Amino acid sequence: MAGIAAAAVALGVTQLLAAFVGPQADSRTAVGSTVIDLTPGPVKEWAITTFGTADKVVLTVAVLAVIALIAAVTASRESRRAPIGSAAIVLAGVAGCAAVLSRPGATAADTVPTIVGAVCGVAVLRLLLSGRFTDDAPKTADTADPKHADVPDPGRRRSLITLGLLTAGAVSGMAGVVLARAKTSVAGERDAFALPAVDVAAKPIPPTVQPKGIALPSFVTSNDDFYRIDTALTVPQLSREEWQLRIHGMVDREITYRFADLERFETVEKVVTLTCVSNPVGGDLISNATWIGYRVRDLLADAGIHPDADMVLSKSSDGFTAGTPVEALTDGRDALLAVGMNGEPLPTEHGYPARLVVPGLYGYVSATKWVVDLQLTRFDKAEAYWTRLGWSPHGPIKTESRIDVPRSGEVVQRGPVTFGGVAWAQNRGVKAVEVRIDGPGKQGSWQQAQLGDGYSNDTWRLWSFPWQADESGAHTITVRATDNTGAVQTEQWADPVPDGASGWHSVSFTVG
Ligand SMILES: Nc1nc2c(c(=O)[nH]1)N[C@H]1C(S)=C(S)[C@@H](COP(=O)(O)O)O[C@H]1N2
Ligand SMILES: [Mo]
């Protein structure tokens, strides 16, 4: 417990001081980001497919658990001749300072909170393990004396002080996080941002996109429900004032846009379904929104792109990169630099003040949030964040479909039921969805599902399937989609690495 209390104080003090020095002094985030960057690709992939949007919470809890374990074990070995616990805290402090210094724009002064935190941690450990609280102190006899029963024994005092320090460490850490967030937050200016008037509106979304009589995901995902995947341990807080978009590399003229410069471009509204390459078959890392922004093509037009440039390497303010084919950013699909999402400014976690939205490509090769830099280059010259980790340099979205109703293991009442789900093939569009119950076999033939109206080739399509649940017992339902080129979704099972999962989604259920 002494070790855990010492670690809590070290982390708490660091976090609290960092709130006053600045975000770059936050060694917790610096270490966390370094860990994320150094984690091998397959492990990251495992974390995303296993924990999905909760991956950051899981990471934080896991890291705290590991720190507590190391602190407890090393502190139990602490002795005057071998101060192993203190050494562990000093070592952690050194690692924290190194992580802080490795981040862009950090100075020596930014290591002060970490150093002070480590010193406090060592002091706490030494205090709690000092002879002051040991039972062989001269007063031992007194504690057995009924006259002194109200005087806490040294062991009890030590427990109370340990608990107090642990609490103090935790509270100051949380205070530091809250304070730092309040100081850097762009939430206020985001709320004050009035979206530009739309010049080219998206066609209205008819209610018929949503199948009736079944609870499916809403055709348009609310901002709160929209899936979120990124490598950012703390959400970048980038003000419109600070924001710039630099266009450079294989161009005739470099251009840097300030946020106010965007006003002179046509404002375009588009409904686009984003999908994560890490989405497993049947997974929920897919959402659909109405975006407002500017055509990337228009922003690039004045730069004079060299004919041999085939990739735009986009970069975020926190160093994430994506490599997108120039063609996907300049052809008729109208890739956007989006500033609005479902009628609101982009939420900070979805890229405020500006991000890329490219129909038809997985997010890891296209959807850069907090985007500040577009470099015209070549696929044989440059590598982006996930490509370096073993993902494919190209990431067109595969045709997929998912069963939302019934849930796996659900017990369905006898009688008429309606099953349903979603299907997607962005940039090609979904033409048909077929369902098979209990196949393959004589009863298990493919049958056409009913489709919600198609909105566009860039959006998902909702489907439903009325079925007569007559036969009690175990059943399975399988789904497959066909895109507008006539290609049927492949049965070939593939993992998300390196270029997206494929295979038919099946769900087992029981008629009871
Ligand atoms: N800056 C930044 N942008 C990013 C990422 C990231 O890690 N950092 N992840 C990408 C990935 S892998 C996906 S799937 C989409 C997800 O966008 P969303 O979080 O708005 O749903 O963002 C993309 N843009
Ligand atoms: Mo992703």
Side-chain angles (χ1 to χ4, degrees), residues 25-268:
D26 177 356
S27 52
R28 176 186 59 104
T29 303
V31 170
S33 303
T34 310
V35 168
I36 292 179
D37 290 347
L38 295 180
T39 301
V43 179
K44 279 198 251 225
E45 174 55 34
W46 170 82
I48 293 176
T49 42
T50 312
F51 305 116
T53 298
D55 55 352
K56 290 186 187 64
V57 179
V58 173
L59 175 72
T60 305
V61 172
V63 166
L64 287 178
V66 169
I67 289 176
L69 189 73
I70 293 175
V73 169
T74 54
S76 70
R77 301 284 153 77
E78 174 96 354
S79 69
R80 199 168 293 277
R81 294 202 21 233
I84 293 178
S86 305
I89 296 174
V90 170
L91 220 65
V94 170
C97 290
V100 164
L101 289 174
S102 76
R103 294 278 128 184
T107 64
D110 293 323
T111 61
V112 169
T114 310
I115 294 170
V116 176
V119 169
C120 291
V122 170
V124 164
L125 187 67
R126 296 253 127 176
L127 170 78
L128 292 175
L129 298 182
S130 65
R132 206 174 302 195
F133 305 110
T134 49
D135 292 343
D136 48 306
K139 286 197 220 89
T140 315
D142 293 354
T143 52
D145 182 341
K147 271 188 291 181
H148 296 274
D150 54 336
V151 177
D153 67 81
R156 177 141 179 262
R157 226 179 90 206
R158 176 163 66 175
S159 301
L160 286 175
I161 292 178
T162 306
L163 199 68
L165 285 167
L166 196 123
T167 311
V171 168
S172 51
M174 284 185 276
V177 171
V178 171
L179 206 68
R181 208 166 278 174
K183 281 180 72 177
T184 58
S185 171
V186 294
E189 70 144 76
R190 173 191 173 269
D191 292 346
F193 174 42
L195 285 178
V198 173
D199 298 309
V200 184
K203 68 172 192 239
I205 300 169
T208 45
V209 295
Q210 196 81 33
K212 285 217 178 66
I214 179 171
L216 291 180
S218 170
F219 176 75
V220 173
T221 317
S222 70
N223 289 356
D224 284 344
D225 290 342
F226 205 97
Y227 85 90
R228 174 190 167 200
I229 289 293
D230 54 58
T231 59
L233 204 49
T234 54
V235 178
Q237 304 290 317
L238 183 60
S239 69
R240 272 175 283 143
E241 190 56 42
E242 282 171 289
W243 182 88
Q244 291 194 341
L245 183 65
R246 178 168 170 241
I247 295 170
H248 63 110
M250 298 169 72
V251 293
D252 296 335
R253 287 165 297 278
E254 272 195 37
I255 305 177
T256 300
Y257 294 113
R258 313 287 314 255
F259 202 83
D261 297 331
L262 299 174
E263 278 169 25
R264 69 166 191 265
F265 296 100
E266 223 169 26
T267 309
V268 177

Side-chain angles (χ1 to χ4, degrees), residues 48 227 229-230 275-279 285 320 362-365 386:
I48 293 176
Y227 85 90
I229 289 293
D230 54 58
T275 310
C276 183
V277 70
S278 299
N279 194 39
L285 300 178
F320 170 86
Y362 287 121
Y364 82 107
V365 291
W386 288 101

Side-chain angles (χ1 to χ4, degrees), residues 187-420:
E189 70 144 76
R190 173 191 173 269
D191 292 346
F193 174 42
L195 285 178
V198 173
D199 298 309
V200 184
K203 68 172 192 239
I205 300 169
T208 45
V209 295
Q210 196 81 33
K212 285 217 178 66
I214 179 171
L216 291 180
S218 170
F219 176 75
V220 173
T221 317
S222 70
N223 289 356
D224 284 344
D225 290 342
F226 205 97
Y227 85 90
R228 174 190 167 200
I229 289 293
D230 54 58
T231 59
L233 204 49
T234 54
V235 178
Q237 304 290 317
L238 183 60
S239 69
R240 272 175 283 143
E241 190 56 42
E242 282 171 289
W243 182 88
Q244 291 194 341
L245 183 65
R246 178 168 170 241
I247 295 170
H248 63 110
M250 298 169 72
V251 293
D252 296 335
R253 287 165 297 278
E254 272 195 37
I255 305 177
T256 300
Y257 294 113
R258 313 287 314 255
F259 202 83
D261 297 331
L262 299 174
E263 278 169 25
R264 69 166 191 265
F265 296 100
E266 223 169 26
T267 309
V268 177
E269 184 185 49
K270 248 185 111 69
V271 186
V272 179
T273 303
L274 293 191
T275 310
C276 183
V277 70
S278 299
N279 194 39
V281 171
D284 57 5
L285 300 178
I286 173 166
S287 301
N288 185 43
T290 303
W291 308 91
I292 287 178
Y294 308 91
R295 292 184 200 92
V296 177
R297 181 175 8 125
D298 297 348
L299 301 178
L300 292 175
D302 287 343
I305 301 172
H306 294 178
D308 50 340
D310 61 4
M311 178 216 260
V312 172
L313 188 70
S314 57
K315 195 167 161 193
S316 69
S317 63
D318 67 336
F320 170 86
T321 52
T324 315
V326 170
E327 204 195 326
L329 291 174
T330 52
D331 66 14
R333 77 185 77 189
D334 284 355
L336 296 183
L337 176 79
V339 299
M341 181 176 181
N342 292 330
E344 281 178 33
L346 284 177
T348 44
E349 62 272 27
H350 292 291
Y352 179 87
R355 70 161 319 159
L356 296 178
V357 171
V358 185
L361 302 181
Y362 287 121
Y364 82 107
V365 291
S366 68
T368 305
K369 308 189 270 189
W370 316 287
V371 63
V372 292
D373 191 290
L374 302 179
Q375 182 193 351
L376 276 294
T377 177
R378 294 185 51 82
F379 276 94
D380 58 17
K381 277 198 201 143
E383 264 189 328
Y385 188 94
W386 288 101
T387 315
R388 219 173 290 133
L389 296 167
W391 270 257
S392 164
H394 294 276
I397 296 174
K398 296 179 180 178
T399 302
E400 265 295 323
S401 50
R402 181 182 80 196
I403 300 155
D404 289 68
V405 183
R407 291 274 156 209
S408 174
E410 195 173 317
V411 179
V412 173
Q413 295 302 313
R414 289 178 69 121
V417 289
T418 305
F419 297 145

Side-chain angles (χ1 to χ4, degrees), residues 396-457:
I397 296 174
K398 296 179 180 178
T399 302
E400 265 295 323
S401 50
R402 181 182 80 196
I403 300 155
D404 289 68
V405 183
R407 291 274 156 209
S408 174
E410 195 173 317
V411 179
V412 173
Q413 295 302 313
R414 289 178 69 121
V417 289
T418 305
F419 297 145
V422 294
W424 61 93
Q426 289 96 311
N427 208 33
R428 299 179 299 281
V430 173
K431 182 160 97 181
V433 172
E434 291 164 289
V435 170
R436 190 177 72 189
I437 309 271
D438 298 336
K442 44 179 184 312
Q443 44 178 348
S445 58
W446 289 104
Q447 302 173 61
Q448 294 293 331
Q450 295 176 1
L451 289 176
D453 272 348
Y455 177 79
S456 81
N457 287 351

